[in-house]
Amino acid sequence: MTTTRQQVLYLWLQGSALDESVVGWAFHDGSDGAGPQLPESEQPGRPPYSSGVAALRDGWMLLQSAQLIPPAPGQEYANAYLEYEFVFERRVDVAPS
C-alpha cells in the first residue's frame, strides 16, 4: 500500500513564456525525500531545469502561471521581486511511514 504525496516546484523565469530561462527556483518535497529528486545541475547553484518547458518534459504538471500585470508608472525598472513565477507539482507514491 502506498500514500500519495505532493512535490511542488517554483520556477521564476526571465519572461512570461514557459520557454524563457530560469532565474530562480524553490523545491518543496512533501515526500520527505522518498520521491524523485530534482535533476543534478552540471554546475553547483545552477537551476535544475533550463526553462519551464524542460520541467514539463520531465513530468512536472503546471499549476499556476505568472499573472501579467503592467508596472506602475515610474516603477518600470524597480527590482523588488521576480514577477514571472510558475508553480509546478508532481504527485508521487511513497510507502507509508
Side-chain angles (χ1 to χ4, degrees):
M1 182 170 192
T2 59
T3 301
T4 301
R5 299 287 172 86
Q6 187 180 35
Q7 294 178 320
V8 178
L9 175 66
Y10 289 83
L11 294 179
W12 287 274
L13 305 181
Q14 196 168 28
S16 62
L18 276 171
D19 59 353
E20 295 276 354
S21 298
V22 175
V23 296
W25 74 97
F27 176 58
H28 302 278
D29 188 0
S31 74
D32 292 329
Q37 297 303 299
L38 295 176
E40 294 276 334
S41 175
E42 293 179 9
Q43 298 177 4
R46 303 290 295 171
Y49 299 103
S50 60
S51 68
V53 172
L56 290 175
R57 289 181 179 144
D58 197 33
W60 289 92
M61 308 293 285
L62 180 64
L63 284 181
Q64 178 181 325
S65 61
Q67 185 177 12
L68 300 178
I69 301 172
Q75 299 297 313
E76 295 89 351
Y77 301 105
N79 292 324
Y81 64 95
L82 300 172
E83 60 185 315
Y84 301 114
E85 178 183 274
F86 294 80
V87 183
F88 299 84
E89 79 158 356
R90 173 164 72 186
R91 295 182 183 189
V92 296
D93 292 329
V94 298
S97 52

